[in-house]
Amino acid sequence: MGGTVVIKWGGGLITHKDQLCTVNQTVIDQLAKVCSQSGKKLVIVHGAGSFGHMKAKKYRLSEGRIEGSEQDDAVEEVRSDMIKLNQSVVNSLQSHGLSVKSYPPHKWARGTGPDFSGELPVHDHVTVVYGDVVDDDDSEFGILSGDDIMLRYATELPDVERAVFAIGGVDGILRLPPSRAGPDDLIEIWHPGLEFEGEHASEIDVTGGIGLKAARGAMMAEKGVDVVLVNGEIPQRVLSAILGESVIGTRIISGNS
Ligand code: IPE
């Protein structure tokens, strides 16, 4: 079977981002299908989209405990909403014949950002984890992004072949925000020295948008991991990216090479 491919399914890709807790079943099923076709050992890290960001934003969960603010119910609700989204992902993968095990991060990870603690769980075929509300030593709780979890798996598992970010609505990193970009604005090879004008919907997102993916991708590339961002709505591209074939998208390089 060879090495492991670590792949992020962006939350904006697998949910309808503007409708609270609504899955995009078509996309989830397409992704599950290409994952099964790939024949690879996989770590799938999925995002939250409308199962996480809306309530997390409203109750300011990424800021941790705020004195005098009612946040406990929201912490539990977002955790249980994420379990529901995760269940849709796992069900779809299983219905495509994959042997899957899912590990909710609030049960094994502590702290936020790339240096969170906790041993990375691994199943021998398809491992599924996701961005979650986790406990934190300083601020009681916080939001651990799937992008940070990706970074750790991609750089710490011994047999990683490559890392793939499947994202929604765009072909990769664009020079301009998607609303203003044209067909020539796809950056095919990106490194941290190359500026781009990312759009980050901070009024919706509690984590870092495309900028965080680019930054974490560069940290992976720095450690020698091949990283590519592709349009997750086009199954053939996701399959090619998993298999390491050349594909329309953005390859991330460290910039030191
Ligand atoms: C966010 O995780 C987790 C929560 C808001 C609970 P991600 O940062 O991985 O999610 P997406 O991909 O942006 O939706």
Side-chain angles (χ1 to χ4, degrees), residues 3-33:
T4 301
V5 177
V6 184
I7 178 167
K8 172 97 192 268
W9 295 9
L13 172 67
I14 62 168
T15 72
H16 295 289
K17 251 198 141 167
D18 46 359
Q19 285 167 272
L20 187 64
C21 297
T22 319
V23 292
N24 188 334
Q25 194 64 46
T26 310
V27 167
I28 291 177
D29 290 341
Q30 282 172 359
L31 290 169
K33 188 172 174 193

PDB file of all heavy atoms in Angstrom, residues 3-33:
ATOM      1  N   GLY A   3       3.160   4.495   1.446  1.00  0.00           N
ATOM      2  CA  GLY A   3       3.099   5.441   2.569  1.00  0.00           C
ATOM      3  C   GLY A   3       1.731   6.050   2.770  1.00  0.00           C
ATOM      4  O   GLY A   3       0.765   5.698   2.098  1.00  0.00           O
ATOM      5  N   THR A   4       1.695   6.988   3.707  1.00  0.00           N
ATOM      6  CA  THR A   4       0.427   7.633   4.068  1.00  0.00           C
ATOM      7  C   THR A   4       0.281   8.971   3.349  1.00  0.00           C
ATOM      8  O   THR A   4       1.240   9.727   3.222  1.00  0.00           O
ATOM      9  CB  THR A   4       0.418   7.901   5.590  1.00  0.00           C
ATOM     10  OG1 THR A   4       0.579   6.659   6.267  1.00  0.00           O
ATOM     11  CG2 THR A   4      -0.873   8.565   6.044  1.00  0.00           C
ATOM     12  N   VAL A   5      -0.935   9.272   2.911  1.00  0.00           N
ATOM     13  CA  VAL A   5      -1.238  10.608   2.402  1.00  0.00           C
ATOM     14  C   VAL A   5      -2.140  11.291   3.427  1.00  0.00           C
ATOM     15  O   VAL A   5      -3.122  10.694   3.892  1.00  0.00           O
ATOM     16  CB  VAL A   5      -1.928  10.543   1.023  1.00  0.00           C
ATOM     17  CG1 VAL A   5      -2.312  11.943   0.548  1.00  0.00           C
ATOM     18  CG2 VAL A   5      -0.999   9.876  -0.003  1.00  0.00           C
ATOM     19  N   VAL A   6      -1.760  12.505   3.801  1.00  0.00           N
ATOM     20  CA  VAL A   6      -2.551  13.278   4.757  1.00  0.00           C
ATOM     21  C   VAL A   6      -3.384  14.269   3.954  1.00  0.00           C
ATOM     22  O   VAL A   6      -2.833  15.019   3.145  1.00  0.00           O
ATOM     23  CB  VAL A   6      -1.633  14.023   5.752  1.00  0.00           C
ATOM     24  CG1 VAL A   6      -2.458  14.742   6.807  1.00  0.00           C
ATOM     25  CG2 VAL A   6      -0.665  13.059   6.419  1.00  0.00           C
ATOM     26  N   ILE A   7      -4.691  14.257   4.147  1.00  0.00           N
ATOM     27  CA  ILE A   7      -5.550  15.129   3.327  1.00  0.00           C
ATOM     28  C   ILE A   7      -6.549  15.888   4.186  1.00  0.00           C
ATOM     29  O   ILE A   7      -7.163  15.324   5.080  1.00  0.00           O
ATOM     30  CB  ILE A   7      -6.265  14.309   2.211  1.00  0.00           C
ATOM     31  CG1 ILE A   7      -7.203  15.206   1.394  1.00  0.00           C
ATOM     32  CG2 ILE A   7      -7.010  13.092   2.753  1.00  0.00           C
ATOM     33  CD1 ILE A   7      -7.699  14.574   0.091  1.00  0.00           C
ATOM     34  N   LYS A   8      -6.641  17.180   3.922  1.00  0.00           N
ATOM     35  CA  LYS A   8      -7.642  18.016   4.604  1.00  0.00           C
ATOM     36  C   LYS A   8      -8.854  18.163   3.711  1.00  0.00           C
ATOM     37  O   LYS A   8      -8.738  18.510   2.527  1.00  0.00           O
ATOM     38  CB  LYS A   8      -7.049  19.399   4.900  1.00  0.00           C
ATOM     39  CG  LYS A   8      -8.069  20.435   5.434  1.00  0.00           C
ATOM     40  CD  LYS A   8      -8.071  20.557   6.933  1.00  0.00           C
ATOM     41  CE  LYS A   8      -9.260  21.352   7.474  1.00  0.00           C
ATOM     42  NZ  LYS A   8      -9.067  22.753   7.646  1.00  0.00           N
ATOM     43  N   TRP A   9     -10.017  17.927   4.280  1.00  0.00           N
ATOM     44  CA  TRP A   9     -11.281  18.254   3.605  1.00  0.00           C
ATOM     45  C   TRP A   9     -11.753  19.551   4.252  1.00  0.00           C
ATOM     46  O   TRP A   9     -12.198  19.554   5.414  1.00  0.00           O
ATOM     47  CB  TRP A   9     -12.334  17.169   3.835  1.00  0.00           C
ATOM     48  CG  TRP A   9     -12.043  15.808   3.251  1.00  0.00           C
ATOM     49  CD1 TRP A   9     -10.880  15.361   2.681  1.00  0.00           C
ATOM     50  CD2 TRP A   9     -12.969  14.705   3.197  1.00  0.00           C
ATOM     51  NE1 TRP A   9     -11.027  14.049   2.279  1.00  0.00           N
ATOM     52  CE2 TRP A   9     -12.297  13.621   2.583  1.00  0.00           C
ATOM     53  CE3 TRP A   9     -14.292  14.511   3.606  1.00  0.00           C
ATOM     54  CZ2 TRP A   9     -12.906  12.379   2.376  1.00  0.00           C
ATOM     55  CZ3 TRP A   9     -14.891  13.277   3.401  1.00  0.00           C
ATOM     56  CH2 TRP A   9     -14.210  12.228   2.781  1.00  0.00           C
ATOM     57  N   GLY A  10     -11.642  20.642   3.540  1.00  0.00           N
ATOM     58  CA  GLY A  10     -12.005  21.940   4.111  1.00  0.00           C
ATOM     59  C   GLY A  10     -13.466  21.974   4.552  1.00  0.00           C
ATOM     60  O   GLY A  10     -14.334  21.371   3.912  1.00  0.00           O
ATOM     61  N   GLY A  11     -13.713  22.695   5.635  1.00  0.00           N
ATOM     62  CA  GLY A  11     -15.080  22.791   6.149  1.00  0.00           C
ATOM     63  C   GLY A  11     -16.015  23.498   5.175  1.00  0.00           C
ATOM     64  O   GLY A  11     -17.191  23.148   5.052  1.00  0.00           O
ATOM     65  N   GLY A  12     -15.477  24.482   4.451  1.00  0.00           N
ATOM     66  CA  GLY A  12     -16.283  25.211   3.471  1.00  0.00           C
ATOM     67  C   GLY A  12     -16.612  24.348   2.257  1.00  0.00           C
ATOM     68  O   GLY A  12     -17.508  24.659   1.486  1.00  0.00           O
ATOM     69  N   LEU A  13     -15.862  23.266   2.107  1.00  0.00           N
ATOM     70  CA  LEU A  13     -16.071  22.341   0.991  1.00  0.00           C
ATOM     71  C   LEU A  13     -17.155  21.312   1.325  1.00  0.00           C
ATOM     72  O   LEU A  13     -18.006  21.003   0.499  1.00  0.00           O
ATOM     73  CB  LEU A  13     -14.729  21.634   0.711  1.00  0.00           C
ATOM     74  CG  LEU A  13     -14.694  20.483  -0.284  1.00  0.00           C
ATOM     75  CD1 LEU A  13     -14.994  20.995  -1.688  1.00  0.00           C
ATOM     76  CD2 LEU A  13     -13.325  19.800  -0.253  1.00  0.00           C
ATOM     77  N   ILE A  14     -17.133  20.800   2.545  1.00  0.00           N
ATOM     78  CA  ILE A  14     -18.023  19.667   2.881  1.00  0.00           C
ATOM     79  C   ILE A  14     -19.316  20.089   3.581  1.00  0.00           C
ATOM     80  O   ILE A  14     -20.136  19.245   3.920  1.00  0.00           O
ATOM     81  CB  ILE A  14     -17.280  18.596   3.725  1.00  0.00           C
ATOM     82  CG1 ILE A  14     -16.799  19.159   5.065  1.00  0.00           C
ATOM     83  CG2 ILE A  14     -16.121  18.009   2.931  1.00  0.00           C
ATOM     84  CD1 ILE A  14     -16.322  18.092   6.042  1.00  0.00           C
ATOM     85  N   THR A  15     -19.470  21.405   3.823  1.00  0.00           N
ATOM     86  CA  THR A  15     -20.734  21.892   4.400  1.00  0.00           C
ATOM     87  C   THR A  15     -21.216  23.061   3.542  1.00  0.00           C
ATOM     88  O   THR A  15     -20.464  23.600   2.732  1.00  0.00           O
ATOM     89  CB  THR A  15     -20.551  22.417   5.840  1.00  0.00           C
ATOM     90  OG1 THR A  15     -19.847  23.670   5.804  1.00  0.00           O
ATOM     91  CG2 THR A  15     -19.775  21.440   6.705  1.00  0.00           C
ATOM     92  N   HIS A  16     -22.474  23.445   3.756  1.00  0.00           N
ATOM     93  CA  HIS A  16     -22.945  24.701   3.166  1.00  0.00           C
ATOM     94  C   HIS A  16     -22.642  25.764   4.213  1.00  0.00           C
ATOM     95  O   HIS A  16     -23.244  25.777   5.286  1.00  0.00           O
ATOM     96  CB  HIS A  16     -24.432  24.599   2.826  1.00  0.00           C
ATOM     97  CG  HIS A  16     -24.692  23.580   1.757  1.00  0.00           C
ATOM     98  ND1 HIS A  16     -24.329  23.782   0.438  1.00  0.00           N
ATOM     99  CD2 HIS A  16     -25.233  22.343   1.808  1.00  0.00           C
ATOM    100  CE1 HIS A  16     -24.649  22.713  -0.271  1.00  0.00           C
ATOM    101  NE2 HIS A  16     -25.192  21.821   0.533  1.00  0.00           N
ATOM    102  N   LYS A  17     -21.690  26.609   3.909  1.00  0.00           N
ATOM    103  CA  LYS A  17     -21.106  27.467   4.938  1.00  0.00           C
ATOM    104  C   LYS A  17     -22.064  28.479   5.537  1.00  0.00           C
ATOM    105  O   LYS A  17     -21.901  28.907   6.665  1.00  0.00           O
ATOM    106  CB  LYS A  17     -19.871  28.183   4.384  1.00  0.00           C
ATOM    107  CG  LYS A  17     -18.618  27.607   5.030  1.00  0.00           C
ATOM    108  CD  LYS A  17     -17.416  28.488   4.903  1.00  0.00           C
ATOM    109  CE  LYS A  17     -16.635  28.435   6.207  1.00  0.00           C
ATOM    110  NZ  LYS A  17     -15.323  28.989   6.121  1.00  0.00           N
ATOM    111  N   ASP A  18     -23.081  28.867   4.755  1.00  0.00           N
ATOM    112  CA  ASP A  18     -23.977  29.904   5.273  1.00  0.00           C
ATOM    113  C   ASP A  18     -25.259  29.335   5.886  1.00  0.00           C
ATOM    114  O   ASP A  18     -26.103  30.083   6.352  1.00  0.00           O
ATOM    115  CB  ASP A  18     -24.314  30.894   4.141  1.00  0.00           C
ATOM    116  CG  ASP A  18     -24.685  30.181   2.854  1.00  0.00           C
ATOM    117  OD1 ASP A  18     -24.663  28.927   2.837  1.00  0.00           O
ATOM    118  OD2 ASP A  18     -25.006  30.873   1.875  1.00  0.00           O
ATOM    119  N   GLN A  19     -25.408  28.009   5.914  1.00  0.00           N
ATOM    120  CA  GLN A  19     -26.605  27.413   6.537  1.00  0.00           C
ATOM    121  C   GLN A  19     -26.159  26.550   7.708  1.00  0.00           C
ATOM    122  O   GLN A  19     -25.477  25.540   7.512  1.00  0.00           O
ATOM    123  CB  GLN A  19     -27.337  26.517   5.535  1.00  0.00           C
ATOM    124  CG  GLN A  19     -28.119  27.268   4.476  1.00  0.00           C
ATOM    125  CD  GLN A  19     -28.520  26.316   3.367  1.00  0.00           C
ATOM    126  OE1 GLN A  19     -27.768  26.107   2.403  1.00  0.00           O
ATOM    127  NE2 GLN A  19     -29.674  25.696   3.499  1.00  0.00           N
ATOM    128  N   LEU A  20     -26.547  26.946   8.901  1.00  0.00           N
ATOM    129  CA  LEU A  20     -26.099  26.275  10.123  1.00  0.00           C
ATOM    130  C   LEU A  20     -26.237  24.743  10.030  1.00  0.00           C
ATOM    131  O   LEU A  20     -27.311  24.237   9.714  1.00  0.00           O
ATOM    132  CB  LEU A  20     -26.927  26.818  11.308  1.00  0.00           C
ATOM    133  CG  LEU A  20     -26.504  26.371  12.706  1.00  0.00           C
ATOM    134  CD1 LEU A  20     -25.120  26.865  13.060  1.00  0.00           C
ATOM    135  CD2 LEU A  20     -27.514  26.845  13.746  1.00  0.00           C
ATOM    136  N   CYS A  21     -25.150  24.067  10.318  1.00  0.00           N
ATOM    137  CA  CYS A  21     -25.136  22.599  10.396  1.00  0.00           C
ATOM    138  C   CYS A  21     -25.782  21.895   9.205  1.00  0.00           C
ATOM    139  O   CYS A  21     -26.664  21.046   9.381  1.00  0.00           O
ATOM    140  CB  CYS A  21     -25.780  22.129  11.703  1.00  0.00           C
ATOM    141  SG  CYS A  21     -24.902  22.676  13.167  1.00  0.00           S
ATOM    142  N   THR A  22     -25.342  22.244   8.011  1.00  0.00           N
ATOM    143  CA  THR A  22     -25.862  21.581   6.806  1.00  0.00           C
ATOM    144  C   THR A  22     -24.700  20.979   6.023  1.00  0.00           C
ATOM    145  O   THR A  22     -23.776  21.691   5.638  1.00  0.00           O
ATOM    146  CB  THR A  22     -26.572  22.606   5.884  1.00  0.00           C
ATOM    147  OG1 THR A  22     -27.330  23.485   6.706  1.00  0.00           O
ATOM    148  CG2 THR A  22     -27.482  21.929   4.900  1.00  0.00           C
ATOM    149  N   VAL A  23     -24.763  19.657   5.815  1.00  0.00           N
ATOM    150  CA  VAL A  23     -23.663  19.008   5.084  1.00  0.00           C
ATOM    151  C   VAL A  23     -23.849  19.152   3.576  1.00  0.00           C
ATOM    152  O   VAL A  23     -24.976  19.267   3.099  1.00  0.00           O
ATOM    153  CB  VAL A  23     -23.538  17.487   5.395  1.00  0.00           C
ATOM    154  CG1 VAL A  23     -23.101  17.246   6.815  1.00  0.00           C
ATOM    155  CG2 VAL A  23     -24.793  16.728   5.053  1.00  0.00           C
ATOM    156  N   ASN A  24     -22.748  19.130   2.861  1.00  0.00           N
ATOM    157  CA  ASN A  24     -22.797  19.032   1.399  1.00  0.00           C
ATOM    158  C   ASN A  24     -22.528  17.557   1.070  1.00  0.00           C
ATOM    159  O   ASN A  24     -21.390  17.141   0.877  1.00  0.00           O
ATOM    160  CB  ASN A  24     -21.748  19.953   0.766  1.00  0.00           C
ATOM    161  CG  ASN A  24     -21.913  20.022  -0.738  1.00  0.00           C
ATOM    162  OD1 ASN A  24     -22.425  19.091  -1.353  1.00  0.00           O
ATOM    163  ND2 ASN A  24     -21.484  21.123  -1.333  1.00  0.00           N
ATOM    164  N   GLN A  25     -23.613  16.787   1.085  1.00  0.00           N
ATOM    165  CA  GLN A  25     -23.494  15.338   0.961  1.00  0.00           C
ATOM    166  C   GLN A  25     -22.860  14.928  -0.370  1.00  0.00           C
ATOM    167  O   GLN A  25     -22.071  13.987  -0.421  1.00  0.00           O
ATOM    168  CB  GLN A  25     -24.892  14.705   1.106  1.00  0.00           C
ATOM    169  CG  GLN A  25     -24.863  13.203   1.341  1.00  0.00           C
ATOM    170  CD  GLN A  25     -24.201  12.832   2.659  1.00  0.00           C
ATOM    171  OE1 GLN A  25     -24.476  13.433   3.702  1.00  0.00           O
ATOM    172  NE2 GLN A  25     -23.290  11.863   2.623  1.00  0.00           N
ATOM    173  N   THR A  26     -23.195  15.680  -1.428  1.00  0.00           N
ATOM    174  CA  THR A  26     -22.635  15.349  -2.747  1.00  0.00           C
ATOM    175  C   THR A  26     -21.122  15.388  -2.706  1.00  0.00           C
ATOM    176  O   THR A  26     -20.433  14.462  -3.158  1.00  0.00           O
ATOM    177  CB  THR A  26     -23.140  16.380  -3.797  1.00  0.00           C
ATOM    178  OG1 THR A  26     -24.551  16.472  -3.650  1.00  0.00           O
ATOM    179  CG2 THR A  26     -22.774  16.002  -5.207  1.00  0.00           C
ATOM    180  N   VAL A  27     -20.581  16.468  -2.129  1.00  0.00           N
ATOM    181  CA  VAL A  27     -19.125  16.606  -2.076  1.00  0.00           C
ATOM    182  C   VAL A  27     -18.514  15.551  -1.161  1.00  0.00           C
ATOM    183  O   VAL A  27     -17.492  14.927  -1.492  1.00  0.00           O
ATOM    184  CB  VAL A  27     -18.735  18.038  -1.637  1.00  0.00           C
ATOM    185  CG1 VAL A  27     -17.270  18.111  -1.267  1.00  0.00           C
ATOM    186  CG2 VAL A  27     -19.027  19.032  -2.758  1.00  0.00           C
ATOM    187  N   ILE A  28     -19.145  15.310  -0.007  1.00  0.00           N
ATOM    188  CA  ILE A  28     -18.610  14.295   0.918  1.00  0.00           C
ATOM    189  C   ILE A  28     -18.538  12.933   0.212  1.00  0.00           C
ATOM    190  O   ILE A  28     -17.515  12.239   0.273  1.00  0.00           O
ATOM    191  CB  ILE A  28     -19.467  14.207   2.205  1.00  0.00           C
ATOM    192  CG1 ILE A  28     -19.290  15.484   3.043  1.00  0.00           C
ATOM    193  CG2 ILE A  28     -19.092  12.969   3.038  1.00  0.00           C
ATOM    194  CD1 ILE A  28     -20.136  15.558   4.303  1.00  0.00           C
ATOM    195  N   ASP A  29     -19.598  12.577  -0.505  1.00  0.00           N
ATOM    196  CA  ASP A  29     -19.611  11.276  -1.190  1.00  0.00           C
ATOM    197  C   ASP A  29     -18.563  11.207  -2.305  1.00  0.00           C
ATOM    198  O   ASP A  29     -17.919  10.178  -2.499  1.00  0.00           O
ATOM    199  CB  ASP A  29     -21.012  10.979  -1.754  1.00  0.00           C
ATOM    200  CG  ASP A  29     -22.022  10.691  -0.643  1.00  0.00           C
ATOM    201  OD1 ASP A  29     -21.604  10.368   0.490  1.00  0.00           O
ATOM    202  OD2 ASP A  29     -23.242  10.807  -0.906  1.00  0.00           O
ATOM    203  N   GLN A  30     -18.379  12.326  -3.022  1.00  0.00           N
ATOM    204  CA  GLN A  30     -17.351  12.350  -4.082  1.00  0.00           C
ATOM    205  C   GLN A  30     -15.954  12.161  -3.480  1.00  0.00           C
ATOM    206  O   GLN A  30     -15.125  11.431  -4.020  1.00  0.00           O
ATOM    207  CB  GLN A  30     -17.336  13.711  -4.781  1.00  0.00           C
ATOM    208  CG  GLN A  30     -18.443  13.922  -5.781  1.00  0.00           C
ATOM    209  CD  GLN A  30     -18.468  15.371  -6.298  1.00  0.00           C
ATOM    210  OE1 GLN A  30     -17.665  16.214  -5.895  1.00  0.00           O
ATOM    211  NE2 GLN A  30     -19.385  15.654  -7.192  1.00  0.00           N
ATOM    212  N   LEU A  31     -15.720  12.840  -2.358  1.00  0.00           N
ATOM    213  CA  LEU A  31     -14.398  12.742  -1.730  1.00  0.00           C
ATOM    214  C   LEU A  31     -14.170  11.324  -1.192  1.00  0.00           C
ATOM    215  O   LEU A  31     -13.082  10.765  -1.335  1.00  0.00           O
ATOM    216  CB  LEU A  31     -14.266  13.760  -0.596  1.00  0.00           C
ATOM    217  CG  LEU A  31     -14.186  15.230  -1.013  1.00  0.00           C
ATOM    218  CD1 LEU A  31     -14.326  16.139   0.207  1.00  0.00           C
ATOM    219  CD2 LEU A  31     -12.873  15.533  -1.729  1.00  0.00           C
ATOM    220  N   ALA A  32     -15.213  10.763  -0.580  1.00  0.00           N
ATOM    221  CA  ALA A  32     -15.086   9.399  -0.039  1.00  0.00           C
ATOM    222  C   ALA A  32     -14.772   8.426  -1.185  1.00  0.00           C
ATOM    223  O   ALA A  32     -13.936   7.531  -1.042  1.00  0.00           O
ATOM    224  CB  ALA A  32     -16.377   8.999   0.670  1.00  0.00           C
ATOM    225  N   LYS A  33     -15.415   8.648  -2.321  1.00  0.00           N
ATOM    226  CA  LYS A  33     -15.191   7.764  -3.474  1.00  0.00           C
ATOM    227  C   LYS A  33     -13.736   7.836  -3.956  1.00  0.00           C
ATOM    228  O   LYS A  33     -13.088   6.816  -4.144  1.00  0.00           O
ATOM    229  CB  LYS A  33     -16.150   8.146  -4.608  1.00  0.00           C
ATOM    230  CG  LYS A  33     -16.137   7.191  -5.753  1.00  0.00           C
ATOM    231  CD  LYS A  33     -17.246   7.518  -6.740  1.00  0.00           C
ATOM    232  CE  LYS A  33     -17.126   6.634  -7.970  1.00  0.00           C
ATOM    233  NZ  LYS A  33     -17.958   7.099  -9.059  1.00  0.00           N
TER     234      LYS A  33
END
